[in-house]
Amino acid sequence: MAVYKNYIGGRWISSKGGLFDSLNPATEKSLGKFQKSTKQDVDNAVSAAWKSYEKWRDVPAPRKGEILLNVAQLLKENKERLARLETTEMGKVLAEARGDVQEAIDVFEYMAGEGRRLLGSTTPSELPKKACMTFRQPIGVVGLITPWNFPIAIPAWKMSAALICGNAVVFKPSSDTPLCAIELVNILDAAGVPKGAVNLVTGSADPAGTAIVSHKDIRGISFTGSRDTGLWITRNAGIKKVGLELGGKNGIIVMDDADMKLALDGVIWGAFGTTGQRCTACSRVIVHRKVKEKFTNMLVERAKHIRVGDGLKPSTDMGPLINRAALEKTHHYTEIGRKEGAKLVCGGIKLSKKGFFFAPTVFTNVQAGMRIAREEIFGPVLSIIEVSDLQEAIDVMNSVEYGLSSSIYTQNINNAFEAIEKIEAGITYVNSSTIGAEVHLPFGGVKQTGSGREAGIMGIEEFSEIKTVYVDYSGKLQKAQMD
Ligand code: UN1
């Protein structure tokens, strides 16, 4: 059995904390042993990162961009291999795993271009012969804590932005997908990212994640994961620059004037793509009462025919859940839904195979206040909620504590713009599903979904500090607000 190590200061190093396994969720077979990193490992990674930072910071940003472009190129050359590995470790179907690697390629290309921008601004002074401007500067050493559901793309969003801004990184991936992280770090190394600029420590939230969050020499944290962990981070990070991308309870509104077939495709993809394990997954369909019955029938018919299995098989539409705990949690929520009085019309069962397979599940007669309609399940469970008009649909959409993605299917432009204006979410799609974010646009949410935006130009904001500069060339003391 292969044993994989941490990558600290450009060397592969064992931890004294012991080992853990990463399992293929479709077969429950181990893919290898990984380091259970300790606080000492994190300390070592932070020291190595600071050492490297001193040099990396001073590399001209366009040159940094060339290295990021090399990363994109190597990801392209390894796309198929990485996608297969990702399906094996994370479970998503191969076509989606390819998409995940493509998203990483896209963001490294985008951020490479940022190397020739990283724009500051200039503005006039209130005084003569005085220039006012801003420059972007790195934060320093940043901690990146990433989830398993996009095990290549999400680390890539964070790393590409962190590196182009001149930061050095301590990277802790989810314990469910350490092998994808190792592969990504290998590619960064081969592309010419200097030793120590990216340091990898594998292992669990406690002690490795905790040590990163509370580390006095880490100046920024970027985290994607659960709301509870996000809350813990806000309480324990101290005064650091923190970006959080937490949960979602994303809805799709289907109006009575919607193109039903198009809406159906969007709902199926949003709810059951990645086995419902996206922050952006659709877990609520908010449907106009005039079309509710028709739409429900169409939906159940499609959901029943989704082929669940190993994501490597071309015949599979939906892969397994990530682990046994996720399987139990999803099952538990279907029990909660039943007890709350929702009507189970499809699925609701664990599939009797090896691996963490759960049937695509649909509930009707769901009330907006029920737990299955409010809490993030992160599995293939969809709730159908009936409404009478657009206003009620928007109220239901906004009744949850999260606000990441949202969508409306309608042929009426007034409905569309009303929804864009009134839905409380970081992302609204019109006539498209809740998933499908592109890397050059901001990504993130409102309310309990978190703070900050990733990707695009906003990703640069997250990983840089602004230096304000005044240059007085008058040759005398000029006093702002007084002269
Ligand atoms: C996530 O689920 O955390 O739009 C990220 C999408 C993907 C990114 C999802 N491009 O669903």
Side-chain angles (χ1 to χ4, degrees), residues 370-391:
M370 290 179 180
R371 283 183 65 193
I372 54 165
R374 286 188 290 114
E375 296 175 17
E376 187 177 47
I377 301 172
F378 228 63
V381 181
L382 184 62
S383 291
I384 302 179
I385 305 170
E386 182 184 316
V387 290
S388 301
D389 55 27
L390 180 63
Q391 188 53 54

Side-chain angles (χ1 to χ4, degrees), residues 353-402:
K353 298 179 188 172
K354 213 170 176 50
F356 310 121
F357 296 100
F358 199 83
T361 299
V362 181
F363 278 103
T364 57
N365 298 358
V366 177
Q367 302 300 317
M370 290 179 180
R371 283 183 65 193
I372 54 165
R374 286 188 290 114
E375 296 175 17
E376 187 177 47
I377 301 172
F378 228 63
V381 181
L382 184 62
S383 291
I384 302 179
I385 305 170
E386 182 184 316
V387 290
S388 301
D389 55 27
L390 180 63
Q391 188 53 54
E392 193 190 346
I394 292 171
D395 290 346
V396 167
M397 181 75 92
N398 291 344
S399 67
V400 294
E401 54 189 0
Y402 296 108

Side-chain angles (χ1 to χ4, degrees), residues 103 149-150 154 157 224 245 278-280 429 434-437 443:
E103 201 161 344
N149 66 338
F150 281 82
I154 292 182
W157 288 1
T224 301
E245 203 271 280
R278 295 192 186 215
C279 305
T280 53
Y429 290 91
T434 49
I435 61 189
F443 182 91

Side-chain angles (χ1 to χ4, degrees), residues 248-385:
K249 192 69 191 175
N250 313 296
I252 294 183
I253 297 174
V254 180
M255 291 301 290
D256 51 344
D257 57 32
D259 175 333
M260 289 292 133
K261 170 81 181 58
L262 189 68
L264 181 64
D265 286 344
V267 169
I268 292 283
W269 172 227
F272 304 119
T274 327
T275 321
Q277 302 172 107
R278 295 192 186 215
C279 305
T280 53
C282 165
S283 52
R284 301 181 295 155
V285 186
I286 303 163
V287 59
H288 196 285
R289 66 179 157 72
K290 282 193 195 148
V291 292
K292 185 216 161 187
E293 205 177 310
K294 181 177 173 207
F295 191 73
T296 303
N297 292 340
M298 288 164 72
L299 181 60
V300 171
E301 189 50 29
R302 277 279 289 278
K304 273 186 184 152
H305 288 96
I306 291 174
R307 294 162 299 180
V308 182
D310 189 327
L312 286 177
K313 291 200 184 117
S315 58
T316 300
D317 299 317
M318 190 179 98
L321 287 160
I322 186 67
N323 55 33
R324 185 155 303 281
L327 186 69
E328 296 305 334
K329 180 183 172 191
T330 306
H331 189 247
H332 180 59
Y333 266 104
T334 58
E335 293 303 311
I336 291 173
R338 277 204 185 99
K339 284 197 191 119
E340 286 180 308
K343 189 171 162 208
L344 182 70
V345 287
C346 180
I349 48 165
K350 298 179 206 167
L351 298 173
S352 55
K353 298 179 188 172
K354 213 170 176 50
F356 310 121
F357 296 100
F358 199 83
T361 299
V362 181
F363 278 103
T364 57
N365 298 358
V366 177
Q367 302 300 317
M370 290 179 180
R371 283 183 65 193
I372 54 165
R374 286 188 290 114
E375 296 175 17
E376 187 177 47
I377 301 172
F378 228 63
V381 181
L382 184 62
S383 291
I384 302 179
I385 305 170

